[in-house]
Amino acid sequence: MGEMEQLRKEAESLKDEITAARKAVQDLTLQDHVAGTAVVGRVQLKTRKTLRGHLSKIYAVHWGDSKLCVSASQDGKLIVWDSYTTNKVHAIPLKSSWVMTCAYAPSGNMVACGGLDNMCSIYNLKGKDGNVKVMRELAAHTGYLSCCRFLNDNEIITSSGDCTCVLWDIETGSQKTVFAGHLGDCMSLGVAPDFNTFISGACDFTAKLWDIRDGQCRQTFGGHESDINAIGFFPNGNAVITGSDDASCKLYDLRSDQELITYQDSGIMCGVTSLAPSFSGRLILAGYDDFNCNIWDSLKAERVGVLSGHDNRVSCIGVTPDGMACCTGSWDSFLKIWN
Amino acid sequence: MTINTLSQDGVQRQQMPCLTKMERMIISMQDPDMGIKLRNQRLLITVIPHKCSISDEEALHVGQLFVKYGYIYPLKEPRNLILKADDSSYRFQTPYYWMSTRWPASELDYAIYLAKKNIRKQGELIEYEKECYNALHKRINHTWDFVVMQAREQLRASKQRRKGDRIVLECQEQAYWLVNRPPVSPEHYKLTTLTKNTIIEHNRISLARNRVKSSICLESYVKYCEQYQPHDPIMQGCLPSNPWITDDIMFWNMNSETVALPTKLRVERWSFSFMELLNDQMGRKEFLTYLEKEFSAENLCFWQACEDVRHGETAKIPEKVDEVYKQFLAPGASRWVNIDSKTMEKTLEGLKRPHRFVLDDAQMHIYFLMKKDSYPRYLKSELYKNLLARAIVPQETKKSVFPFMRRQRHSSPSPALATQTAEDDGKAKYSNSNSGTASRL
């Protein structure tokens, strides 16, 4: 036990030194720095389309390109929408209706989903006979699947309630790398624009940056006071934005290895469920438990807009790859496209 | 969101709804008319009332949960917190000790309990209890007199009770602390030591990392946002018009992969960073044309081949890598790329056992070569400048004045929603922006 005490003390002292090193590079506050930046002004987005068709709570939505998106709902369906015409391109029935996440491959050939069945199911959209069939079922997690993202048509990364993230080879259905290190359920993940690293947010209140090639955790970011539900990269790939149950979003810079900006407001007391940066990164759209989405000016850390229109919690949000529109999915079973 | 296992730091807030459900069940189980039959337990000559046994298999799992969270405790082997489907005896825990009422179990209370046990059994604490006792002694040393005094007082008061009551109270308290301060096994210690070592290693590496000043980082964000603002349709709108607002898809047509003449914004973006140029199909083609003039096109082809290996099918990797070697790396190859000798040696070594990332170092080298040398020259070249000059700046299309002439778009109507769609039609014709609320701060 004496040894444990010693180890604990050593870990603590290192942590303190790291905090000091981080403080040492904090030479300017955000307020001073962005004093000269132009103000954004009020941002008003209106609902352009409402996608109706799900019969139950929508848990996840992911854009494939500027028009196609896939959404997952606990009525046991995965629907691929042409959101511009509001047509349903595919309605895929799922084996397990307890789905919590979905993803669209960048090539547009596949979609994936998973949830309480602990598996990630991959569906091929461009099958020979036009039917959408299960291509692979990736099973090895011992906890629920909270998020999945394609790297390409052969690799997918999943995060799970068993506190690990895994890189899979879709062709063989095997685990290529296991990223272990979180002390709580991994709730979400985001892939870097250069596909060399990815970030994960977990219920141990930290976010970790992982190197895809060697499976190592490169950086850990703390500071949140509750579970991190949503995570995303800033478009230039140098920062990570997280949203948490403690009602705040934070921006962590990878190069200075610390939290630079916090987005919070004394009037907001409910958790953040999802977030997405706009194309330039100037705006951050975050969905909250109080049925609204707030739009934050990412540099000035001020609220510049609200998207209200849902009758229940906003569970997922996504911005199209070309930055044209954003889609919100809610527990009221509707998806709304805003612009 | 999920039920977490009991942690040393106390029960998570999220467990409350589950606990309330369990408690309601427990209360109804103890109902004298509808609940479980309770019998008297004979402990030598003392008769202790209210014991029951659980043998119904269907209830086994629920029962396990009850035991795990301390609502029922076993009598024979108190340290073994499991429910056995036989005749072994259990007792219901008093509501005073329920998790929902008494958490977080305070250090002071635990110290008093251990002190009591220490005094009563004259130092016969179990290993882990001894450790906890010593640790607590150090931590709350300032109130230790109070702890010992309380312990003595409680022992004295309990001596005045009937023996039956005293045994019950002792069992209840013991069960409570077994649930809230579970024993730590040696394996657990080993695991924790291992975890602590990994954490220390991770922290050491983290400490040694190079940290950039926050002012520089913030500056880079400001610059990035400024640079990309004209390209952000939500911030600044887009030309000719936003398809979502005007139902006119010309924007997408003009920016598709295979258009004859690109838009000015698109060509400008290629100058932001090398990755922007490479990520755009058309940009890559233009760059290739330029490189061909400079007789260094093999660099880009090599880079593309490496990308294909990295993101392609696993089964095809060996043959692809072989192709790359023949075309680009072998001495005397038709499109030999200029890599420094060290990287070349390393790559050739790796080729013996090809895997997805075997060409990474060589690819990086060529990437930086192009980025530092060919890319800046391309941006200054006539080819690029000409394209920029010829690039289109689309005319803004005016919004149609008569809204009811817009083509309506409907999803294939489901019979159930037939009536609702008709209503929506009517609404949409008169205003196209009522379905979302404008922002209110």
Side-chain angles (χ1 to χ4, degrees):
Chain A
M1 179 69 157
E3 193 199 344
M4 275 296 288
E5 264 303 300
Q6 219 182 350
L7 287 177
R8 201 173 60 83
K9 279 214 180 87
E10 200 179 342
E12 288 286 321
S13 78
L14 279 173
K15 243 169 89 175
D16 291 334
E17 280 179 64
I18 292 174
T19 317
R22 284 176 174 166
K23 253 200 134 142
V25 291
Q26 245 180 26
D27 54 344
L28 203 62
T29 66
L30 174 70
Q31 277 73 20
D32 299 328
H33 201 88
V34 299
T37 322
V39 180
V40 168
R42 251 176 234 199
V43 174
Q44 290 178 324
L45 297 185
K46 302 192 171 124
T47 305
R48 303 293 169 190
K49 308 273 178 205
T50 303
L51 304 177
R52 295 166 220 273
H54 278 299
L55 303 169
S56 179
K57 300 178 178 171
I58 295 178
Y59 270 79
V61 74
H62 193 219
W63 285 99
D65 62 16
S66 28
K67 283 180 262 180
L68 295 172
C69 65
V70 64
S71 64
S73 155
Q74 291 210 340
D75 59 4
K77 282 250 172 15
L78 209 62
I79 300 186
V80 178
W81 308 83
D82 176 343
S83 50
Y84 192 59
T85 57
T86 71
N87 280 336
K88 299 176 194 52
V89 181
H90 299 284
I92 306 165
L94 303 172
K95 271 194 210 161
S96 156
S97 69
W98 305 109
V99 64
M100 292 170 66
T101 180
C102 62
Y104 214 122
S107 62
N109 295 335
M110 300 189 273
V111 289
C113 69
L116 291 182
D117 56 358
N118 297 2
M119 287 193 314
C120 182
S121 311
I122 317 270
Y123 295 85
N124 186 354
L125 297 178
K126 307 272 167 79
K128 285 205 179 85
D129 51 358
N131 280 340
V132 176
K133 283 194 295 225
V134 180
M135 206 176 96
R136 281 284 176 276
E137 282 177 350
L138 307 172
H141 277 300
T142 52
Y144 62 86
L145 210 81
S146 52
C147 190
C148 56
R149 284 290 176 259
F150 281 95
L151 290 182
N152 48 57
D153 277 1
N154 290 285
E155 297 177 301
I156 188 171
I157 302 186
T158 57
S159 67
S160 162
D162 64 8
C163 311
T164 63
C165 299
V166 172
L167 170 71
W168 305 82
D169 180 324
I170 296 177
E171 200 57 35
T172 58
S174 60
Q175 294 180 300
K176 279 179 40 186
T177 323
V178 177
F179 304 92
H182 273 299
L183 301 172
D185 305 5
C186 296
M187 293 307 295
S188 64
L189 66 91
V191 181
D194 62 7
F195 293 99
N196 284 333
T197 55
F198 76 94
I199 38 171
S200 60
C203 291
D204 60 1
F205 314 168
T206 64
K208 284 183 188 279
L209 176 81
W210 307 88
D211 185 320
I212 294 180
R213 261 192 66 171
D214 57 21
Q216 293 304 317
C217 168
R218 293 260 167 262
Q219 285 172 271
T220 306
F221 302 102
H224 272 297
E225 291 157 10
S226 187
D227 305 351
I228 296 181
N229 291 324
I231 202 165
F233 267 98
F234 192 83
N236 71 355
N238 283 339
V240 166
I241 315 173
T242 56
S244 160
D245 270 343
D246 64 6
S248 72
C249 298
K250 288 181 193 280
L251 183 127
Y252 296 97
D253 182 85
L254 299 181
R255 292 182 299 172
S256 60
D257 188 45
Q258 58 188 287
E259 170 197 331
L260 287 186
I261 313 174
T262 304
Y263 307 99
Q264 65 189 11
D265 188 296
S266 51
I268 304 174
M269 284 182 296
C270 57
V272 179
T273 59
S274 50
L275 59 81
S278 74
F279 187 73
S280 63
R282 187 64 198 267
L283 300 174
I284 296 177
L285 299 106
Y288 288 76
D289 282 345
D290 63 358
F291 311 174
N292 284 336
C293 252
N294 286 319
I295 308 179
W296 294 89
D297 176 341
S298 62
L299 297 179
K300 299 232 178 208
E302 290 166 352
R303 264 201 311 171
V304 291
V306 176
L307 303 176
S308 23
H310 279 295
D311 298 323
N312 207 324
R313 179 193 287 202
V314 174
S315 57
C316 48
I317 192 169
V319 173
T320 59
D322 60 4
M324 273 295 177
C326 91
C327 175
T328 53
S330 160
W331 281 9
D332 65 5
S333 80
F334 298 126
L335 291 151
K336 286 184 191 280
I337 314 283
W338 307 78
N339 196 294
Chain B
M1 199 178 123
T2 52
I3 300 180
N4 300 311
T5 46
L6 219 46
S7 62
Q8 189 77 315
D9 306 300
V11 179
Q12 309 275 352
R13 253 180 310 145
Q14 289 95 326
Q15 284 178 292
M16 259 317 273
C18 313
L19 295 180
T20 347
K21 275 193 204 145
M22 281 202 268
E23 282 165 14
R24 267 187 273 142
M25 269 202 77
I26 286 278
I27 291 174
S28 60
M29 272 168 81
Q30 294 186 62
D31 186 294
D33 301 315
M34 301 270 292
I36 297 179
K37 257 186 133 66
L38 301 174
R39 291 191 287 274
N40 291 335
Q41 174 200 19
R42 298 194 77 85
L43 193 65
L44 296 179
I45 48 168
T46 339
V47 176
I48 304 170
H50 306 307
K51 93 166 163 84
C52 64
S53 58
I54 300 172
S55 59
D56 190 355
E57 273 178 2
E58 283 176 320
L60 198 62
H61 175 67
V62 177
Q64 294 273 27
L65 285 178
F66 286 151
V67 176
K68 186 171 165 216
Y69 286 97
Y71 290 103
I72 304 178
Y73 57 92
L75 299 176
K76 278 239 172 65
E77 287 170 41
R79 301 204 179 279
N80 206 1
L81 285 180
I82 56 167
L83 190 71
K84 288 198 209 140
D86 55 20
D87 246 351
S88 50
S89 318
Y90 299 84
R91 204 178 291 129
F92 286 102
Q93 180 66 289
T94 166
Y96 177 69
Y97 279 129
W98 280 357
M99 283 230 290
S100 48
T101 50
R102 282 271 295 186
W103 101 76
S106 77
E107 277 193 333
L108 201 62
D109 293 330
Y110 193 42
I112 296 175
Y113 167 68
L114 287 176
K116 267 202 293 191
K117 212 166 171 195
N118 205 4
I119 297 171
R120 211 172 47 220
K121 288 197 176 161
Q122 270 121 10
E124 253 186 51
L125 290 176
I126 315 173
E127 189 60 46
Y128 86 96
E129 277 177 347
K130 272 207 195 105
E131 311 271 15
C132 294
Y133 187 70
N134 293 333
L136 281 169
H137 185 78
K138 246 187 270 170
R139 266 211 294 278
I140 51 175
N141 207 343
H142 48 282
T143 53
W144 203 251
D145 293 335
F146 173 71
V147 168
V148 175
M149 188 190 74
Q150 269 291 311
R152 290 221 174 92
E153 204 37 56
Q154 288 182 13
L155 278 175
R156 198 181 56 78
S158 72
K159 278 206 171 76
Q160 296 175 345
R161 290 187 205 273
R162 271 181 39 231
K163 185 155 190 196
D165 286 343
R166 189 162 18 117
I167 294 179
V168 170
L169 286 171
E170 275 170 20
C171 287
Q172 283 174 345
E173 203 185 3
Q174 183 188 49
Y176 174 73
W177 287 113
L178 279 171
V179 170
N180 282 285
R181 291 281 187 273
V184 172
S185 63
E187 289 85 40
H188 180 93
Y189 269 133
K190 257 191 235 137
L191 198 62
T192 341
T193 332
L194 196 64
T195 325
K196 278 273 182 297
N197 274 325
T198 340
I199 295 178
I200 291 175
E201 200 44 52
H202 180 85
N203 282 351
R204 281 219 187 94
I205 296 175
S206 171
L207 190 62
R209 133 199 318 282
N210 196 13
R211 287 181 178 82
V212 177
K213 289 213 183 105
S214 65
S215 58
I216 300 179
C217 302
L218 289 169
E219 184 60 35
S220 76
Y221 297 131
V222 174
K223 282 226 167 72
Y224 186 90
C225 289
E226 264 174 40
Q227 195 179 45
Y228 278 83
Q229 184 154 319
H231 301 261
D232 188 344
I234 296 180
M235 292 284 292
Q236 208 158 293
C238 66
L239 302 169
S241 64
N242 194 320
W244 295 97
I245 303 178
T246 57
D247 271 347
D248 172 24
I249 58 169
M250 200 155 56
F251 175 80
W252 284 323
N253 288 339
M254 292 180 95
N255 280 301
S256 71
E257 300 253 313
T258 51
V259 79
L261 207 55
T263 56
K264 206 175 192 103
L265 278 180
R266 185 175 178 180
V267 180
E268 270 173 13
R269 250 173 85 183
W270 299 346
S271 66
F272 290 170
S273 79
F274 191 35
M275 271 323 281
E276 284 286 354
L277 178 67
L278 290 179
N279 278 338
D280 188 341
Q281 198 80 301
M282 185 183 264
R284 231 189 271 189
K285 235 171 56 179
E286 289 289 315
F287 190 52
L288 189 65
T289 322
Y290 174 73
L291 287 180
E292 269 161 12
K293 292 214 177 104
E294 299 242 312
F295 302 107
S296 49
E298 66 272 0
N299 286 338
L300 187 59
C301 297
F302 176 68
W303 183 86
Q304 268 180 216
C306 291
E307 282 288 288
D308 194 31
V309 169
R310 249 172 141 234
H311 298 293
E313 272 180 58
T314 322
K316 296 220 176 100
I317 289 183
E319 70 178 76
K320 280 188 185 166
V321 170
D322 203 39
E323 261 308 304
V324 167
Y325 173 73
K326 283 205 200 102
Q327 268 201 3
F328 299 100
L329 297 171
S334 54
R335 306 170 100 182
W336 193 76
V337 284
N338 196 356
I339 311 176
D340 66 295
S341 51
K342 212 170 113 198
T343 319
M344 180 65 97
E345 234 181 86
K346 204 167 152 207
T347 313
L348 291 178
E349 192 53 43
L351 286 185
K352 296 187 184 147
R353 262 178 246 108
H355 59 89
R356 195 174 284 271
F357 303 113
V358 70
L359 295 168
D360 263 14
D361 292 322
Q363 186 186 13
M364 256 305 109
H365 182 92
I366 294 294
Y367 175 82
F368 280 116
L369 194 68
M370 288 195 288
K371 184 174 168 187
K372 293 229 163 69
D373 185 32
S374 320
Y375 175 61
R377 280 190 288 122
Y378 169 68
L379 292 180
K380 298 198 193 105
S381 70
E382 284 305 314
L383 194 65
Y384 179 72
K385 290 202 177 127
N386 270 337
L387 192 60
L388 196 58
R390 284 186 301 141
I392 313 173
V393 179
Q395 284 283 348
E396 183 181 1
T397 46
K398 298 224 168 52
K399 276 198 206 163
S400 37
V401 184
F402 306 104
F404 56 80
M405 277 166 78
R406 279 195 311 121
R407 277 176 300 141
Q408 299 294 337
R409 284 198 168 75
H410 303 297
S411 61
S412 22
S414 116
L417 296 170
T419 43
Q420 199 173 355
T421 339
E423 272 178 57
D424 282 343
D425 258 346
K427 279 195 206 145
K429 277 198 177 124
Y430 286 93
S431 67
N432 66 343
S433 53
N434 257 354
S435 31
T437 350
S439 76
R440 278 187 308 276
L441 278 180

